[in-house]
Amino acid sequence: MPDLATVAAAFVEMAHRIVWATAATVDPDNRPRTRILHPLWEWDGTSLIGWIATGPTPRKLADLEHGNFMSLNYWSPNHDTCRADCETTWHFDDATREGIWNAFRYAPEPVGYDPALIPVWDSPTSPAFAALELKPTYLRVFPGTALLTGEGDVLSWSRRQS
């Protein structure tokens, strides 16, 4: 199995190119829930952390209180896909929220955007804004060429096997 460095670098490249991920959680009645979210990934050469600038809605809060795991799947029309299964942690402190607000605001496009574009988020300290931290437990990168032509490497990494 490839090491984290190999898989994380390929994952971040693909995820930041695709931008939008289908995020799955499980609600308190053990029913699956999906939503489309826009994570930002930080890879420093040894650690991969994802962040989602999001509203702490009652449904998201309940789902992640029931089980603090989220699976994110990215897909593009050329059938490139990548997946991250993650442990999640909410952050409501001002310093983290301001840091994540600015990380999104100053990240290059297509991942970067100004969070103030969301009407209910007037500032990073708005009660309607939170930072959701993602710590991957499993990563998979599947280039569409592997499916369509048999070319390209399918990469995966698991925290359990590293």
Side-chain angles (χ1 to χ4, degrees):
M1 179 174 283
D3 64 1
L4 175 60
T6 301
V7 180
F11 174 83
V12 171
E13 184 284 320
M14 187 179 285
H16 282 184
R17 180 170 34 87
I18 296 171
V19 180
W20 294 95
T22 301
T25 56
V26 176
D27 77 6
D29 293 321
N30 292 317
R31 296 176 299 203
R33 298 281 185 207
T34 60
R35 54 192 56 83
I36 303 297
L37 295 172
H38 182 158
L40 172 68
W41 296 94
E42 297 175 339
W43 169 243
D44 65 6
T46 58
S47 177
L48 178 64
I49 300 292
W51 293 97
I52 299 173
T54 190
T57 65
R59 180 158 299 196
K60 279 185 214 149
L61 289 167
D63 289 1
L64 293 173
E65 182 177 316
H66 174 68
N68 70 321
F69 290 91
M70 179 179 284
S71 184
L72 297 116
N73 189 72
Y74 294 82
W75 175 84
S76 69
N78 70 352
H79 300 294
D80 283 351
T81 62
C82 59
R83 176 179 132 204
D85 296 341
C86 303
E87 291 182 73
T88 64
T89 304
W90 286 105
H91 292 270
F92 299 102
D93 62 286
D94 290 350
T96 302
R97 293 189 303 162
E98 288 173 8
I100 297 310
W101 180 282
N102 287 325
F104 276 95
R105 185 172 180 194
Y106 297 113
E109 290 185 5
V111 169
Y113 71 96
D114 184 354
L117 295 171
I118 308 297
V120 297
W121 297 348
D122 56 358
S123 76
T125 58
S126 165
F129 179 79
L132 185 61
E133 181 180 7
L134 308 168
K135 291 185 180 173
T137 59
Y138 176 81
L139 297 170
R140 185 168 191 229
V141 179
F142 192 110
T145 55
L147 174 69
L148 301 173
T149 67
E151 297 176 9
D153 293 325
V154 177
L155 304 172
S156 64
W157 169 86
S158 173
R159 184 170 66 191
R160 292 181 185 166
Q161 296 178 353
S162 63

Coordinates of all heavy atoms in Angstrom, one line a residue, residues 3-93:
D3 N 2.4 5.0 0.7 CA 2.4 5.7 2.0 C 1.5 7.0 1.9 O 1.0 7.3 0.8 CB 3.9 6.2 2.3 CG 4.5 7.1 1.3 OD1 3.8 7.5 0.3 OD2 5.7 7.5 1.5
L4 N 1.3 7.6 3.1 CA 0.4 8.7 3.2 C 0.9 9.9 2.3 O 0.0 10.5 1.6 CB 0.3 9.2 4.6 CG -0.5 10.5 4.8 CD1 -1.9 10.3 4.4 CD2 -0.4 10.9 6.3
A5 N 2.2 10.1 2.2 CA 2.7 11.2 1.4 C 2.3 11.1 -0.1 O 1.8 12.1 -0.7 CB 4.2 11.3 1.5
T6 N 2.4 9.9 -0.6 CA 2.0 9.7 -2.0 C 0.5 9.9 -2.3 O 0.1 10.6 -3.2 CB 2.4 8.2 -2.5 OG1 3.8 8.1 -2.3 CG2 2.1 8.0 -3.9
V7 N -0.3 9.3 -1.4 CA -1.7 9.3 -1.6 C -2.3 10.7 -1.3 O -3.1 11.2 -2.0 CB -2.4 8.2 -0.7 CG1 -3.9 8.3 -0.9 CG2 -1.9 6.8 -1.1
A8 N -1.8 11.3 -0.2 CA -2.3 12.6 0.2 C -2.0 13.7 -0.9 O -2.9 14.5 -1.2 CB -1.7 13.1 1.5
A9 N -0.9 13.7 -1.5 CA -0.5 14.7 -2.5 C -1.5 14.5 -3.7 O -2.0 15.5 -4.2 CB 0.9 14.5 -2.9
A10 N -1.7 13.2 -4.1 CA -2.6 13.0 -5.3 C -4.0 13.3 -4.9 O -4.8 13.8 -5.7 CB -2.5 11.5 -5.7
F11 N -4.4 13.0 -3.6 CA -5.8 13.3 -3.2 C -6.1 14.8 -3.2 O -7.1 15.3 -3.7 CB -6.0 12.7 -1.8 CG -7.3 13.2 -1.2 CD1 -8.5 12.5 -1.5 CD2 -7.4 14.3 -0.4 CE1 -9.7 12.8 -1.0 CE2 -8.7 14.7 0.1 CZ -9.8 14.0 -0.2
V12 N -5.2 15.6 -2.6 CA -5.4 17.0 -2.6 C -5.4 17.6 -4.0 O -6.3 18.5 -4.3 CB -4.3 17.7 -1.7 CG1 -4.4 19.3 -1.8 CG2 -4.4 17.3 -0.3
E13 N -4.5 17.2 -4.9 CA -4.6 17.7 -6.2 C -5.9 17.4 -6.9 O -6.5 18.3 -7.5 CB -3.5 17.1 -7.1 CG -3.3 17.6 -8.5 CD -4.4 17.1 -9.5 OE1 -4.7 15.9 -9.4 OE2 -4.9 17.9 -10.3
M14 N -6.4 16.2 -6.8 CA -7.7 15.9 -7.4 C -8.9 16.6 -6.7 O -9.8 17.2 -7.3 CB -7.9 14.4 -7.4 CG -9.2 14.0 -8.2 SD -9.4 12.2 -8.3 CE -8.1 11.7 -9.4
A15 N -8.9 16.6 -5.4 CA -10.0 17.2 -4.6 C -10.1 18.7 -4.9 O -11.2 19.2 -5.1 CB -9.8 16.9 -3.1
H16 N -9.0 19.3 -4.9 CA -9.0 20.8 -5.1 C -9.3 21.1 -6.6 O -9.8 22.2 -6.8 CB -7.7 21.4 -4.7 CG -7.6 21.6 -3.2 ND1 -6.5 22.2 -2.6 CD2 -8.4 21.2 -2.2 CE1 -6.7 22.3 -1.3 NE2 -7.8 21.7 -1.0
R17 N -9.1 20.2 -7.5 CA -9.5 20.4 -8.9 C -11.0 20.2 -9.0 O -11.7 21.0 -9.7 CB -8.7 19.5 -9.8 CG -9.0 19.6 -11.2 CD -8.0 18.8 -12.1 NE -7.5 17.5 -11.6 CZ -8.2 16.4 -11.7 NH1 -9.3 16.3 -12.3 NH2 -7.6 15.3 -11.2
I18 N -11.5 19.2 -8.4 CA -13.0 18.9 -8.5 C -13.8 19.9 -7.6 O -14.9 20.3 -8.0 CB -13.3 17.5 -8.1 CG1 -12.6 16.5 -9.1 CG2 -14.8 17.2 -8.1 CD1 -12.6 15.1 -8.7
V19 N -13.3 20.3 -6.4 CA -13.8 21.2 -5.5 C -15.0 20.7 -4.6 O -14.9 20.7 -3.4 CB -14.2 22.6 -6.1 CG1 -14.8 23.6 -5.1 CG2 -13.1 23.2 -6.9
W20 N -16.1 20.3 -5.2 CA -17.3 20.0 -4.5 C -17.3 18.5 -4.2 O -17.1 17.6 -5.1 CB -18.6 20.4 -5.3 CG -18.7 21.8 -5.4 CD1 -18.2 22.6 -6.4 CD2 -19.2 22.7 -4.4 NE1 -18.5 23.9 -6.1 CE2 -19.1 24.0 -4.9 CE3 -19.8 22.6 -3.2 CZ2 -19.5 25.2 -4.2 CZ3 -20.2 23.7 -2.5 CH2 -20.1 25.0 -3.0
A21 N -17.7 18.1 -3.0 CA -17.8 16.7 -2.5 C -19.2 16.4 -2.0 O -19.8 17.2 -1.4 CB -16.7 16.5 -1.4
T22 N -19.6 15.2 -2.3 CA -20.8 14.7 -1.6 C -20.3 14.1 -0.3 O -19.4 13.3 -0.2 CB -21.4 13.5 -2.5 OG1 -21.8 14.0 -3.8 CG2 -22.7 13.0 -1.8
A23 N -20.9 14.7 0.8 CA -20.5 14.3 2.1 C -21.7 13.5 2.8 O -22.8 13.9 2.7 CB -20.3 15.6 3.0
A24 N -21.3 12.3 3.3 CA -22.3 11.4 3.9 C -22.1 11.3 5.4 O -21.0 11.2 5.9 CB -22.2 10.0 3.3
T25 N -23.2 11.4 6.1 CA -23.2 11.2 7.6 C -24.3 10.2 7.8 O -25.1 9.8 6.9 CB -23.4 12.5 8.3 OG1 -24.7 13.1 7.9 CG2 -22.3 13.4 8.1
V26 N -24.5 9.8 9.1 CA -25.6 9.0 9.5 C -26.4 9.7 10.6 O -25.8 10.3 11.6 CB -25.1 7.6 10.1 CG1 -26.2 6.8 10.6 CG2 -24.3 6.9 9.0
D27 N -27.7 9.8 10.5 CA -28.5 10.6 11.4 C -28.8 9.8 12.7 O -28.4 8.6 12.8 CB -29.8 11.1 10.8 CG -30.9 10.1 10.6 OD1 -30.8 9.0 11.0 OD2 -31.9 10.5 10.0
P28 N -29.4 10.4 13.7 CA -29.6 9.7 15.0 C -30.5 8.4 14.8 O -30.5 7.6 15.7 CB -30.2 10.7 15.9 CG -29.7 12.0 15.4 CD -29.6 11.8 13.9
D29 N -31.3 8.3 13.7 CA -32.1 7.1 13.5 C -31.3 6.1 12.6 O -32.0 5.2 12.0 CB -33.4 7.5 12.9 CG -34.3 8.3 13.8 OD1 -34.3 8.0 15.0 OD2 -34.9 9.3 13.4
N30 N -30.0 6.3 12.4 CA -29.2 5.5 11.6 C -29.5 5.5 10.1 O -29.3 4.5 9.4 CB -29.1 4.1 12.1 CG -28.4 4.0 13.5 OD1 -27.3 4.7 13.6 ND2 -28.9 3.3 14.4
R31 N -30.1 6.6 9.6 CA -30.4 6.8 8.2 C -29.3 7.6 7.6 O -28.8 8.6 8.2 CB -31.7 7.5 8.0 CG -32.9 6.7 8.5 CD -34.2 7.5 8.4 NE -34.0 8.7 9.2 CZ -35.0 9.4 9.7 NH1 -36.3 9.1 9.4 NH2 -34.8 10.5 10.4
P32 N -28.9 7.2 6.4 CA -27.8 8.0 5.7 C -28.3 9.4 5.3 O -29.5 9.5 4.9 CB -27.4 7.1 4.5 CG -28.6 6.3 4.3 CD -29.3 6.1 5.6
R33 N -27.4 10.3 5.4 CA -27.7 11.7 4.9 C -26.5 12.2 4.1 O -25.4 11.9 4.4 CB -27.8 12.7 6.1 CG -28.9 12.4 7.1 CD -30.2 12.9 6.5 NE -31.3 12.7 7.5 CZ -32.5 12.5 7.2 NH1 -32.9 12.5 6.0 NH2 -33.4 12.3 8.2
T34 N -26.9 12.8 2.9 CA -25.8 13.3 2.1 C -26.1 14.8 1.9 O -27.2 15.3 1.9 CB -25.7 12.6 0.7 OG1 -26.9 12.7 0.0 CG2 -25.3 11.1 0.9
R35 N -25.0 15.5 1.6 CA -25.1 16.9 1.3 C -23.8 17.3 0.4 O -22.9 16.5 0.4 CB -25.1 17.8 2.5 CG -24.0 17.5 3.5 CD -24.1 18.0 4.9 NE -25.3 17.8 5.7 CZ -25.4 16.7 6.4 NH1 -24.5 15.7 6.5 NH2 -26.5 16.6 7.2
I36 N -23.9 18.3 -0.3 CA -22.7 18.8 -1.1 C -22.0 19.8 -0.3 O -22.6 20.8 0.2 CB -23.2 19.4 -2.4 CG1 -24.0 18.3 -3.2 CG2 -22.0 19.8 -3.2 CD1 -23.3 17.1 -3.6
L37 N -20.7 19.6 -0.1 CA -19.8 20.6 0.7 C -18.6 20.9 -0.1 O -18.2 20.2 -1.1 CB -19.5 20.0 2.0 CG -20.7 19.8 3.0 CD1 -20.3 19.0 4.2 CD2 -21.4 21.1 3.3
H38 N -17.9 21.9 0.4 CA -16.7 22.4 -0.3 C -15.5 22.4 0.6 O -15.2 23.5 1.2 CB -17.1 23.8 -0.7 CG -16.1 24.6 -1.4 ND1 -16.5 25.7 -2.2 CD2 -14.8 24.6 -1.5 CE1 -15.4 26.2 -2.8 NE2 -14.4 25.6 -2.3
P39 N -14.8 21.3 0.8 CA -13.7 21.2 1.7 C -12.4 21.9 1.2 O -12.2 22.0 0.0 CB -13.4 19.7 2.0 CG -14.7 19.1 1.5 CD -15.3 20.0 0.4
L40 N -11.6 22.3 2.1 CA -10.2 22.8 1.8 C -9.3 21.9 2.5 O -9.4 21.7 3.7 CB -10.1 24.3 2.3 CG -8.7 24.9 2.2 CD1 -8.3 25.1 0.8 CD2 -8.7 26.2 3.0
W41 N -8.3 21.4 1.8 CA -7.4 20.4 2.4 C -6.0 21.1 2.6 O -5.5 21.8 1.7 CB -7.2 19.2 1.5 CG -8.5 18.4 1.5 CD1 -9.5 18.6 0.5 CD2 -9.0 17.5 2.4 NE1 -10.6 17.8 0.8 CE2 -10.3 17.1 2.0 CE3 -8.5 16.9 3.6 CZ2 -11.1 16.1 2.7 CZ3 -9.3 16.0 4.3 CH2 -10.5 15.6 3.8
E42 N -5.4 20.8 3.7 CA -4.0 21.3 4.0 C -3.1 20.1 4.2 O -3.3 19.2 5.1 CB -4.1 22.1 5.3 CG -4.9 23.3 5.3 CD -5.0 24.1 6.6 OE1 -4.8 23.5 7.7 OE2 -5.4 25.3 6.5
W43 N -2.1 20.0 3.3 CA -1.1 18.9 3.4 C 0.2 19.6 3.6 O 0.7 20.4 2.8 CB -1.1 18.1 2.1 CG 0.0 17.2 1.9 CD1 1.0 17.2 0.9 CD2 0.3 16.0 2.7 NE1 1.8 16.2 1.1 CE2 1.5 15.4 2.2 CE3 -0.3 15.5 3.8 CZ2 2.1 14.3 2.7 CZ3 0.3 14.3 4.4 CH2 1.5 13.8 3.8
D44 N 0.9 19.2 4.7 CA 2.2 19.9 5.0 C 3.4 18.9 4.8 O 4.5 19.2 5.2 CB 2.2 20.4 6.5 CG 2.1 19.3 7.5 OD1 2.1 18.1 7.2 OD2 2.0 19.6 8.7
G45 N 3.1 17.8 4.2 CA 4.2 16.8 3.9 C 4.2 15.7 4.9 O 4.7 14.6 4.7
T46 N 3.5 15.8 6.1 CA 3.4 14.7 7.0 C 1.9 14.5 7.5 O 1.6 13.5 8.0 CB 4.3 15.0 8.2 OG1 3.9 16.2 8.9 CG2 5.7 15.0 7.8
S47 N 1.1 15.6 7.5 CA -0.2 15.5 8.0 C -1.2 16.1 7.1 O -1.0 17.2 6.5 CB -0.3 16.3 9.4 OG -1.6 16.3 9.9
L48 N -2.4 15.5 6.9 CA -3.4 16.0 6.0 C -4.6 16.3 6.9 O -5.1 15.4 7.7 CB -3.8 14.9 5.0 CG -5.0 15.3 4.1 CD1 -4.6 16.5 3.2 CD2 -5.4 14.1 3.2
I49 N -5.1 17.5 6.8 CA -6.3 18.0 7.6 C -7.2 18.7 6.6 O -6.7 19.5 5.8 CB -5.9 19.0 8.7 CG1 -4.9 18.4 9.7 CG2 -7.1 19.5 9.4 CD1 -5.5 17.2 10.5
G50 N -8.5 18.4 6.7 CA -9.4 19.1 5.9 C -10.3 20.0 6.7 O -10.4 19.8 7.9
W51 N -10.8 21.0 6.1 CA -11.7 22.0 6.7 C -12.9 22.3 5.9 O -12.8 22.4 4.7 CB -10.9 23.3 7.0 CG -9.8 23.2 8.0 CD1 -8.5 23.0 7.7 CD2 -9.9 23.2 9.4 NE1 -7.8 22.9 8.8 CE2 -8.6 23.0 9.9 CE3 -11.0 23.3 10.3 CZ2 -8.4 23.0 11.3 CZ3 -10.7 23.3 11.6 CH2 -9.4 23.1 12.1
I52 N -14.0 22.4 6.5 CA -15.2 22.8 5.9 C -15.8 24.1 6.6 O -15.9 24.1 7.8 CB -16.3 21.7 5.9 CG1 -15.8 20.5 5.1 CG2 -17.6 22.2 5.2 CD1 -16.7 19.3 5.2
A53 N -15.9 25.1 5.8 CA -16.6 26.3 6.3 C -18.1 26.1 6.1 O -18.6 25.9 5.0 CB -16.2 27.6 5.6
T54 N -18.8 26.0 7.2 CA -20.2 25.6 7.1 C -21.1 26.2 8.2 O -20.6 26.7 9.2 CB -20.3 24.0 7.1 OG1 -21.6 23.6 6.8 CG2 -19.9 23.5 8.5
G55 N -22.4 26.0 8.0 CA -23.3 26.4 9.1 C -23.6 25.3 10.0 O -23.8 24.1 9.5
P56 N -23.5 25.5 11.3 CA -23.8 24.4 12.2 C -25.3 24.2 12.4 O -25.9 24.4 13.4 CB -23.2 24.9 13.5 CG -23.3 26.4 13.5 CD -23.1 26.7 12.0
T57 N -25.9 23.7 11.3 CA -27.4 23.5 11.3 C -27.8 22.4 12.3 O -26.9 21.5 12.6 CB -27.9 23.1 9.9 OG1 -27.3 21.8 9.6 CG2 -27.5 24.2 8.9
P58 N -29.0 22.4 12.8 CA -29.4 21.3 13.7 C -29.2 19.9 13.2 O -28.8 19.0 13.9 CB -30.9 21.6 14.0 CG -31.0 23.1 13.8 CD -30.0 23.4 12.6
R59 N -29.5 19.7 11.9 CA -29.3 18.4 11.3 C -27.8 18.0 11.3 O -27.5 16.9 11.6 CB -29.9 18.4 9.9 CG -29.7 17.0 9.3 CD -30.7 16.7 8.2 NE -32.0 16.8 8.8 CZ -33.1 16.4 8.2 NH1 -33.0 15.8 7.0 NH2 -34.3 16.5 8.7
K60 N -26.9 18.9 10.8 CA -25.5 18.5 10.8 C -25.0 18.3 12.3 O -24.3 17.3 12.5 CB -24.7 19.7 10.2 CG -24.7 19.7 8.7 CD -23.7 20.7 8.2 CE -24.2 21.3 6.9 NZ -23.9 22.7 6.7
L61 N -25.4 19.1 13.2 CA -25.0 18.9 14.6 C -25.4 17.6 15.1 O -24.7 16.8 15.7 CB -25.5 20.1 15.5 CG -24.8 21.4 15.3 CD1 -25.7 22.5 15.9 CD2 -23.4 21.4 15.8
A62 N -26.7 17.2 14.9 CA -27.3 16.0 15.4 C -26.6 14.8 14.7 O -26.2 13.8 15.4 CB -28.8 15.9 15.1
D63 N -26.4 14.8 13.4 CA -25.7 13.7 12.7 C -24.3 13.5 13.3 O -23.9 12.3 13.5 CB -25.6 14.0 11.2 CG -26.9 13.9 10.5 OD1 -28.0 13.7 11.1 OD2 -26.9 14.2 9.2
L64 N -23.5 14.6 13.4 CA -22.1 14.4 13.9 C -22.0 14.2 15.4 O -21.0 13.7 15.8 CB -21.3 15.6 13.4 CG -21.2 15.6 11.9 CD1 -20.5 16.9 11.4 CD2 -20.4 14.4 11.3
E65 N -23.1 14.5 16.1 CA -23.1 14.1 17.5 C -23.4 12.6 17.6 O -22.8 11.9 18.5 CB -24.2 14.9 18.3 CG -24.2 14.6 19.8 CD -25.2 15.5 20.5 OE1 -25.2 16.7 20.3 OE2 -25.9 14.9 21.4
H66 N -24.2 12.1 16.8 CA -24.6 10.7 16.7 C -23.3 9.9 16.4 O -23.1 8.8 17.0 CB -25.7 10.4 15.7 CG -26.0 9.0 15.5 ND1 -26.6 8.2 16.5 CD2 -25.9 8.2 14.4 CE1 -26.8 7.0 16.0 NE2 -26.3 7.0 14.8
G67 N -22.6 10.3 15.4 CA -21.3 9.6 15.0 C -20.5 10.7 14.3 O -20.9 11.3 13.4
N68 N -19.3 10.9 14.9 CA -18.4 12.0 14.4 C -17.6 11.6 13.1 O -16.5 12.1 13.0 CB -17.5 12.5 15.5 CG -16.4 11.5 15.8 OD1 -16.6 10.3 15.9 ND2 -15.2 12.0 16.1
F69 N -18.2 10.8 12.3 CA -17.5 10.5 11.0 C -18.3 11.0 9.8 O -19.5 11.1 9.8 CB -17.4 8.9 10.9 CG -16.4 8.4 11.9 CD1 -16.9 8.0 13.1 CD2 -15.1 8.3 11.6 CE1 -16.0 7.5 14.1 CE2 -14.2 7.8 12.5 CZ -14.6 7.4 13.8
M70 N -17.5 11.3 8.8 CA -18.1 11.8 7.5 C -17.3 11.2 6.4 O -16.1 11.1 6.5 CB -18.0 13.3 7.4 CG -18.5 13.9 6.2 SD -18.4 15.8 6.2 CE -19.8 16.2 7.3
S71 N -18.0 10.7 5.4 CA -17.3 10.2 4.2 C -17.6 11.2 3.1 O -18.7 11.6 2.8 CB -17.9 8.8 3.8 OG -17.2 8.3 2.7
L72 N -16.5 11.6 2.4 CA -16.6 12.6 1.3 C -16.1 12.0 0.0 O -15.1 11.3 0.0 CB -15.7 13.8 1.6 CG -16.1 14.6 2.9 CD1 -15.0 14.5 3.9 CD2 -16.4 16.0 2.5
N73 N -16.9 12.1 -1.0 CA -16.6 11.6 -2.3 C -16.7 12.7 -3.4 O -17.7 13.4 -3.5 CB -17.6 10.5 -2.7 CG -17.2 9.7 -3.9 OD1 -16.2 9.0 -3.9 ND2 -17.9 10.0 -5.0
Y74 N -15.6 12.8 -4.1 CA -15.5 13.7 -5.2 C -15.7 13.0 -6.5 O -15.1 11.9 -6.7 CB -14.1 14.4 -5.2 CG -13.8 15.3 -4.1 CD1 -13.4 14.8 -2.9 CD2 -13.9 16.7 -4.2 CE1 -13.0 15.6 -1.8 CE2 -13.6 17.5 -3.1 CZ -13.2 16.9 -1.9 OH -12.8 17.8 -0.9
W75 N -16.3 13.6 -7.5 CA -16.5 12.9 -8.8 C -16.4 14.0 -9.9 O -17.0 15.1 -9.7 CB -17.8 12.2 -9.0 CG -18.1 11.7 -10.3 CD1 -17.6 10.5 -10.8 CD2 -18.8 12.3 -11.4 NE1 -18.0 10.3 -12.1 CE2 -18.8 11.4 -12.5 CE3 -19.5 13.5 -11.5 CZ2 -19.4 11.7 -13.7 CZ3 -20.1 13.8 -12.7 CH2 -20.1 12.9 -13.8
S76 N -15.8 13.8 -11.0 CA -15.7 14.7 -12.1 C -16.2 14.0 -13.4 O -16.3 12.8 -13.4 CB -14.3 15.3 -12.4 OG -13.5 14.2 -12.9
P77 N -16.7 14.7 -14.4 CA -17.2 14.1 -15.6 C -16.3 13.2 -16.3 O -16.7 12.3 -17.1 CB -17.6 15.3 -16.5 CG -17.9 16.4 -15.5 CD -16.9 16.2 -14.4
N78 N -15.0 13.3 -16.1 CA -14.0 12.4 -16.8 C -13.8 11.1 -15.9 O -13.0 10.3 -16.2 CB -12.7 13.1 -17.1 CG -11.9 13.4 -15.8 OD1 -12.4 13.3 -14.7 ND2 -10.7 13.8 -16.0
H79 N -14.7 11.0 -14.8 CA -14.7 9.9 -13.9 C -13.5 9.8 -13.0 O -13.3 8.8 -12.3 CB -14.9 8.5 -14.7 CG -16.2 8.5 -15.5 ND1 -17.4 8.5 -14.8 CD2 -16.4 8.5 -16.8 CE1 -18.3 8.5 -15.8 NE2 -17.8 8.5 -17.0
D80 N -12.8 10.9 -12.8 CA -11.8 11.0 -11.7 C -12.7 11.0 -10.4 O -13.7 11.8 -10.3 CB -11.0 12.3 -11.8 CG -9.9 12.2 -12.8 OD1 -9.7 11.2 -13.4 OD2 -9.3 13.3 -13.0
T81 N -12.3 10.2 -9.5 CA -13.0 10.2 -8.2 C -11.9 10.0 -7.1 O -10.9 9.4 -7.2 CB -13.9 9.0 -8.0 OG1 -13.2 7.8 -8.1 CG2 -15.1 9.0 -9.0
C82 N -12.2 10.7 -6.0 CA -11.4 10.5 -4.8 C -12.3 10.5 -3.6 O -13.4 11.1 -3.6 CB -10.2 11.4 -4.7 SG -10.7 13.2 -4.6
R83 N -11.9 9.8 -2.5 CA -12.7 9.7 -1.3 C -11.9 9.8 -0.1 O -10.7 9.4 0.0 CB -13.3 8.3 -1.3 CG -14.1 7.9 -0.1 CD -14.7 6.5 -0.2 NE -14.4 5.8 1.0 CZ -14.4 4.5 1.1 NH1 -14.5 3.7 0.0 NH2 -14.2 3.9 2.2
A84 N -12.4 10.5 0.9 CA -11.8 10.6 2.2 C -12.9 10.2 3.3 O -13.9 10.8 3.3 CB -11.3 12.0 2.5
D85 N -12.6 9.2 4.1 CA -13.4 8.9 5.3 C -12.7 9.6 6.4 O -11.5 9.4 6.6 CB -13.5 7.4 5.5 CG -14.2 6.7 4.4 OD1 -14.9 7.3 3.6 OD2 -14.0 5.4 4.3
C86 N -13.4 10.4 7.2 CA -12.8 11.2 8.2 C -13.5 11.2 9.6 O -14.7 11.1 9.6 CB -12.8 12.7 7.7 SG -12.1 12.9 6.1
E87 N -12.7 11.5 10.6 CA -13.2 11.8 11.9 C -13.4 13.4 11.8 O -12.6 14.1 11.2 CB -12.2 11.5 13.0 CG -12.1 10.0 13.2 CD -11.1 9.8 14.4 OE1 -11.5 10.0 15.5 OE2 -10.0 9.4 14.1
T88 N -14.5 13.8 12.5 CA -14.8 15.3 12.4 C -14.8 15.9 13.8 O -15.0 15.2 14.8 CB -16.2 15.5 11.8 OG1 -17.2 15.0 12.7 CG2 -16.3 14.9 10.4
T89 N -14.4 17.2 13.8 CA -14.5 18.0 15.1 C -15.0 19.3 14.7 O -14.5 20.0 13.8 CB -13.1 18.1 15.7 OG1 -12.6 16.8 16.0 CG2 -13.2 18.8 17.0
W90 N -16.0 19.8 15.4 CA -16.5 21.1 15.3 C -15.6 22.1 16.0 O -15.1 21.8 17.1 CB -17.9 21.3 15.9 CG -19.0 20.7 15.1 CD1 -19.7 19.5 15.4 CD2 -19.6 21.2 13.9 NE1 -20.7 19.3 14.5 CE2 -20.7 20.3 13.5 CE3 -19.4 22.3 13.1 CZ2 -21.4 20.5 12.4 CZ3 -20.2 22.5 12.0 CH2 -21.2 21.6 11.7
H91 N -15.4 23.3 15.4 CA -14.7 24.4 16.1 C -15.6 25.6 16.1 O -16.0 26.1 15.0 CB -13.4 24.7 15.4 CG -12.4 23.5 15.5 ND1 -11.5 23.5 16.5 CD2 -12.2 22.4 14.7 CE1 -10.8 22.4 16.4 NE2 -11.2 21.7 15.3
F92 N -15.9 26.1 17.3 CA -16.7 27.3 17.4 C -15.9 28.5 18.0 O -16.5 29.6 18.2 CB -17.9 27.0 18.3 CG -18.8 26.0 17.7 CD1 -18.8 24.7 18.2 CD2 -19.7 26.3 16.7 CE1 -19.6 23.7 17.7 CE2 -20.5 25.3 16.1 CZ -20.4 24.0 16.6
D93 N -14.6 28.3 18.3 CA -13.8 29.4 18.9 C -13.5 30.4 17.8 O -13.3 30.1 16.7 CB -12.6 28.8 19.6 CG -11.6 28.2 18.6 OD1 -12.0 27.0 18.1 OD2 -10.6 28.8 18.2

